[in-house]
Amino acid sequence: METAQIVAAALAVLALLIYRQMRPRPVARPVGLIIAAVMILGGLGGGALVDPRHTALSLAVLVAELLVAAGLGVLRAMTTRVWRDQHGVAWSQGTVTTLIAWVGSIAVRVAMIALTSLLGLASSQTSVLLFVGVTLGVQFLVVARRANALPTAPVSGVQAAR
């Protein structure tokens, strides 16, 4: 696959997932986590994540990118509304703040690509898949953890945690 096709596919999946995050959905559905895992495997399977001409620097940038991806996933997860309905089912829905955090996440990723280029490192075609997969996976795991921490039976009506 060409770089443009990989980026376009990643952006299309990301747009769909952001759209889905903005709609109420049960937390127990692992679809997002499965998609994140597939993206991570695609990113790792594509290889060339480390520039062989600058191994140490390239590896340091890759680790930094993964840490930033995880941190952004936690940030977005904390902006997601999580609650249990009257039947005790955990639900989540992104907020306007979640959407703003997504825009920020994309801007950070673009800045990291620019930094990689400025450092003279060869960039991997599939590093976008790895970054998006990690950030999504962390976000889904943190939202699930928040949902599991909610009381199992609502005291009165719908309980929400922000």
Side-chain angles (χ1 to χ4, degrees), residues 15 18-19 21-22 76 79-80 94-106 139:
I18 292 171
Y19 170 77
Q21 285 181 18
M22 300 308 291
R76 287 190 317 277
T79 68
T80 301
T95 64
V96 171
T97 308
T98 309
L99 190 57
I100 292 168
W102 265 115
V103 171
S105 296
I106 293 166
Q139 180 180 357

Side-chain angles (χ1 to χ4, degrees), residues 68-158:
V68 167
L72 291 169
V74 170
L75 173 72
R76 287 190 317 277
M78 299 310 291
T79 68
T80 301
R81 181 173 170 251
V82 180
W83 73 96
R84 286 196 188 276
D85 66 14
Q86 64 272 18
H87 304 290
V89 176
W91 290 76
S92 69
Q93 181 178 16
T95 64
V96 171
T97 308
T98 309
L99 190 57
I100 292 168
W102 265 115
V103 171
S105 296
I106 293 166
V108 166
R109 180 61 188 141
V110 169
M112 294 184 98
I113 291 170
L115 175 64
T116 301
S117 178
L118 284 173
L119 292 173
L121 300 174
S123 62
S124 168
Q125 297 177 355
T126 57
S127 66
V128 171
L129 290 175
L130 182 60
F131 183 92
V132 173
V134 168
T135 198
L136 281 172
V138 168
Q139 180 180 357
F140 286 117
L141 290 172
V142 172
V143 166
R145 184 178 180 112
R146 289 182 59 216
N148 288 335
L150 293 173
T152 55
V155 177
S156 62
V158 177

